[in-house]
Amino acid sequence: QFQIVQSGGGLVQPGGSLKLSCALSGGDVYYYQIGWFRQAPGKERKGISCINAAGGNYADSAQGRFIISRDDAKNTVHLQMNNLKPEDTGRYLCAAEWSPNPEVCLVVDGKGRYTDWGQGTQVTVSS
């Protein structure tokens, strides 16, 4: 059974760092495109970053501050978030899409073509 389990998140002061993880079971992460999204109350789900076998990509808001990486041995994708700002606050979700022969992924808002979603984790950036 395919499953996504997220970990990480929490409360951090502005300028701080957090690392989110998205662990897959029942499928080989190398053949999936993984996307990270932020959901804030009353706002559209925003795409933050994505990665597949062709590489990674970032939204403008994350470029230069966040790093997405894939650990094939652990079947996990990480999102390292640095220099966090209050506007980064929200519930972060990772999602998976079967993508065995991809081109470089595009960061999209909403749901895109992702078919499986993690449970989400809260990130709060506040002093």
Side-chain angles (χ1 to χ4, degrees):
Q1 180 180 356
F2 188 81
Q3 190 175 9
I4 298 174
V5 176
Q6 295 183 226
S7 59
L11 173 64
V12 65
Q13 293 186 344
S17 297
L18 284 173
K19 185 176 183 179
L20 307 182
S21 297
C22 178
L24 272 62
S25 61
D28 188 335
V29 69
Y30 180 83
Y31 296 108
Y32 285 83
Q33 177 169 309
I34 304 297
W36 282 99
F37 295 79
R38 181 178 67 242
Q39 181 79 66
K43 295 187 177 180
E44 181 187 19
R45 184 172 296 178
K46 298 293 292 182
I48 302 300
S49 184
C50 62
I51 190 169
N52 59 24
N57 215 338
Y58 301 91
D60 289 345
S61 62
Q63 189 75 252
R65 297 188 300 130
F66 294 4
I67 301 171
I68 192 168
S69 62
R70 192 182 65 238
D71 185 338
D72 292 341
K74 295 185 178 180
N75 226 31
T76 299
V77 168
H78 302 289
L79 185 68
Q80 176 67 45
M81 304 188 295
N82 301 316
N83 190 21
L84 283 161
K85 304 175 182 180
E87 51 264 42
D88 294 319
T89 294
R91 188 165 188 80
Y92 281 70
L93 300 109
C94 72
E97 171 193 343
W98 175 248
S99 186
N101 296 296
E103 297 179 350
V104 174
C105 60
L106 298 177
V107 177
V108 296
D109 296 332
K111 295 184 177 181
R113 295 185 299 178
Y114 293 97
T115 56
D116 295 272
W117 292 79
Q119 80 277 20
T121 186
Q122 180 67 30
V123 170
T124 303
V125 185
S126 175
S127 55

